[in-house]
Amino acid sequence: MARPLFSVRLPRDLAEALDRIAEHAGQSRSDVVEMLIKGLDSEDRDMVLKATVAGAPTEKRNLRLSSDALTRLKQLAGDLELADFLRRTTPFFGDPKIAMVQARWGHINQDYSLLTKIQAILLDAHFVLEHGGRNRSGLFFNFNGTAGIWRRTAIADAGGWQHDTLTEDLDLSYRAQLRGWQFVFIPGLIAPAEVPVEMNAFKSQQHRWAKGSIQTARKLLPRILKSDLPRAVKVEAFFHLTANISYPLMIALSFLLLPAMIVRFNQGWFQMLYIDLPLWLASTASISTFYLISQKELYPDWRVRLKYLPFLMSVGIGLSVSNSKAVMEALLGIKSSFKRTPKYRIESKKDRWVTKKYLRRTGVMPLFELSLGTYFGLVVFYAFVNQNYPTIPFLMLFVIGFTYMGLMSILHMTLHRWLRGL
């Protein structure tokens, strides 16, 4: 009897995990599914096997597994992925100079909402271009807190985990590399991870990263700049650790845009084409290209993802309020406790977070964000009245960014409280 063909309907996250396992093992997804089915409980296994032989021997069948069978399949797939993770990372430690091996984050819930999609693109660029570029160029890069393996003696040699910054992973990474240890990044090895689905959790995470990076810069940059490291390593370390200084500068730019428009009210098209247009392209096209390249590198449907780039830039602008506060606190030496990012095991659009107990508070920051959104709405109106139409698309990035951040912060908190009270 010919071997029956079948296709099992699987959740996207499980299907992607099976595809990764199959790719690494040089097998097809159906082969991996069959292998995992053998590990199911007898009742679920019999259900699947009976369904596969129903009908004509060569007929392709679409199957649905029970929830228990899917749960068990996920567990088995996780075990296989862990084994594959260890198989692909541990050989690097045969080199006594290697301190840490870092994998790339995957995003099990990137399609949950617009916010999770934007975060996935932001993180993809961080791993593919920043980590990949730094690692290939022999520059310093950092352990991301998860999805990596450390050599224990390297941690001890670097001074161990220290808690005087909010990004102890970044701090330890630089101290270890200053001691001469080397890191490895494997872009093709994916560790599934969950991105925050709630706005206040996302902002809390970004606040911690921004503040911690500046704290690490204050702590380690003097040592880095005084060391005998190559100039390229020092320069990249400087820009890497101080990158979040851009957020207070973004706030300053926000308040200067309207006065600049008023002062230059009578400018002609010549000045706009030869001054404003190149500056606009430099500030937007470069950022768009940065994220576009990462999507092209990772996804066959990267062209579809182009539609998210304008909103991605708006989200980056909207973050400037919260992250500016983080940067100023770090520069002024204001200490704060480590605030864990709430995670709710959101893996599909059917999952819900609003009834969970663990949620970050909003504070007054959303009100300031909404105020800036209103301010830029007035700036757009001013530009329209004075027929300064070319500036309106650029200004709308600010309107959308600040308004979205403030509105969603309040909405998510209010929705959570209302549903928890039912």
Side-chain angles (χ1 to χ4, degrees), residues 202-211 214 244-248 251 315-330 365 369:
F202 170 58
K203 288 164 65 175
S204 174
Q205 180 191 65
Q206 296 295 316
H207 182 280
R208 186 178 75 245
W209 290 351
K211 184 172 182 176
I214 300 299
N244 288 297
I245 293 291
S246 61
Y247 288 108
I251 295 295
V315 168
I317 292 171
L319 278 173
S320 60
V321 175
S322 176
N323 284 5
S324 292
K325 177 176 178 288
V327 169
M328 297 309 299
E329 286 178 354
M365 198 63 66
E369 291 163 345

Side-chain angles (χ1 to χ4, degrees), residues 354-355 411-422:
V354 290
T355 56
L411 179 62
H412 279 178
M413 177 59 69
T414 304
L415 182 64
H416 172 264
R417 289 175 176 172
W418 180 71
L419 290 177
R420 286 287 298 170
L422 293 179

Side-chain angles (χ1 to χ4, degrees), residues 10 37 204 326 343:
L10 301 172
I37 285 173
S204 174
K343 299 290 181 66

Side-chain angles (χ1 to χ4, degrees), residues 284-296:
T284 57
S286 59
I287 297 174
S288 299
T289 303
F290 175 74
Y291 291 107
L292 173 61
I293 291 175
S294 70
Q295 298 305 288
K296 186 177 180 180

Side-chain angles (χ1 to χ4, degrees), residues 187-302:
L189 180 57
I190 302 172
E194 178 186 346
V195 295
V197 296
E198 192 266 326
M199 178 60 76
N200 296 292
F202 170 58
K203 288 164 65 175
S204 174
Q205 180 191 65
Q206 296 295 316
H207 182 280
R208 186 178 75 245
W209 290 351
K211 184 172 182 176
S213 68
I214 300 299
Q215 289 175 326
T216 303
R218 291 187 60 188
K219 176 180 178 179
L220 296 181
L221 265 183
R223 286 175 54 187
I224 294 172
L225 298 178
K226 293 177 182 178
S227 70
D228 57 355
L229 291 168
R231 179 177 297 178
V233 174
K234 293 181 180 181
V235 171
E236 171 57 23
F238 176 83
F239 284 110
H240 181 198
L241 295 177
T242 61
N244 288 297
I245 293 291
S246 61
Y247 288 108
L249 298 179
M250 178 68 70
I251 295 295
L253 173 65
S254 299
F255 287 108
L256 288 174
L257 282 176
L258 180 58
M261 292 179 63
I262 295 174
V263 170
R264 304 179 63 196
F265 173 74
N266 293 319
Q267 72 172 3
W269 284 99
F270 178 85
Q271 290 87 347
M272 183 172 295
L273 290 176
Y274 286 90
I275 299 177
D276 292 36
L277 182 60
L279 290 175
W280 180 81
L281 289 175
S283 61
T284 57
S286 59
I287 297 174
S288 299
T289 303
F290 175 74
Y291 291 107
L292 173 61
I293 291 175
S294 70
Q295 298 305 288
K296 186 177 180 180
E297 181 72 19
L298 296 177
Y299 305 103
D301 64 341
W302 61 273

Side-chain angles (χ1 to χ4, degrees), residues 331-370:
L331 292 175
L332 296 173
I334 300 174
K335 299 290 185 180
S336 58
S337 60
F338 183 96
K339 296 179 180 179
R340 179 182 173 274
T341 303
K343 299 290 181 66
Y344 308 111
R345 197 179 179 181
I346 302 296
E347 300 180 3
S348 70
K349 292 185 177 181
K350 296 180 180 179
D351 296 326
R352 292 291 178 264
W353 60 268
V354 290
T355 56
K356 307 290 185 179
K357 294 182 179 180
Y358 191 16
L359 198 70
R360 288 284 170 224
R361 297 185 179 277
T362 59
V364 298
M365 198 63 66
L367 299 179
F368 186 52
E369 291 163 345
L370 288 174

Side-chain angles (χ1 to χ4, degrees), residues 9 13 20 48 73 177 198 235 253 269 311 397 416:
R9 294 179 181 176
D13 61 322
R20 290 193 294 269
V48 173
L73 273 180
Q177 289 169 104
E198 192 266 326
V235 171
L253 173 65
W269 284 99
F311 197 75
L397 295 177
H416 172 264

Side-chain angles (χ1 to χ4, degrees), residues 81-93 97-105 141-155 161 172-173 176 181-186 189 191:
E81 284 207 286
L82 176 59
D84 180 67
F85 182 90
L86 295 173
R87 179 182 62 81
R88 298 184 64 188
T89 53
T90 52
F92 287 99
F93 292 98
K97 297 180 181 178
I98 300 300
M100 192 277 297
V101 179
Q102 175 73 52
R104 176 167 61 88
W105 288 0
F141 77 99
N142 61 287
F143 169 56
N144 288 97
T146 60
I149 299 180
W150 275 88
R151 186 189 297 271
R152 183 176 179 179
T153 53
I155 296 176
W161 295 101
L172 176 60
S173 298
W181 292 98
Q182 298 176 5
F183 287 8
V184 174
F185 174 57
I186 311 176
L189 180 57

